[in-house]
């Protein structure tokens, strides 16, 4: 049995637009919120890319 079957699972997706920005605070806040909702198996996907980028070129969004 893999880890996904041991509790409620969710995906946390964070994004910033430039390499100068950090998404650590977003990750921390969203993981805490997910935990408060009972999610114990949290997969974090974080990306630094423009919101104007074509969806087909957004590799991290494709993981979702």
């Amino acid at each position: 049995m893999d880890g996904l079957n041991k509790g409620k699972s969710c995906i946390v997706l964070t994004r910033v637009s430039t390499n100068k920005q950090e998404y650590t605070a977003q990750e921390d806040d969203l993981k805490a919120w997910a935990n408060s909702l009972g999610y114990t198996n949290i997969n974090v996907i974080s990306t630094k890319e423009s919101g104007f980028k074509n969806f087909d070129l957004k590799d991290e969004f494709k993981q979702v």
Side-chain angles (χ1 to χ4, degrees):
M1 203 183 271
D2 63 39
L4 293 177
N5 293 323
K6 293 182 180 177
K8 288 175 61 175
S9 300
C10 71
I11 297 172
V12 167
L13 178 64
T14 64
R15 183 192 68 82
V16 293
S17 299
T18 68
N19 285 329
K20 292 180 182 179
Q21 296 172 305
E22 291 295 325
Y23 41 75
T24 306
Q26 288 182 48
E27 285 182 8
D28 293 343
D29 290 346
L30 290 171
K31 287 192 295 187
W33 183 57
N35 279 320
S36 76
L37 296 174
Y39 292 96
T40 55
N41 207 358
I42 302 168
N43 183 16
V44 178
I45 300 172
S46 297
T47 182
K48 291 185 179 187
E49 60 193 9
S50 169
F52 294 108
K53 194 174 185 181
N54 185 307
F55 184 78
D56 293 333
L57 301 175
K58 295 182 178 185
D59 292 330
E60 286 76 11
F61 281 109
K62 290 178 187 177
Q63 293 179 42
V64 176

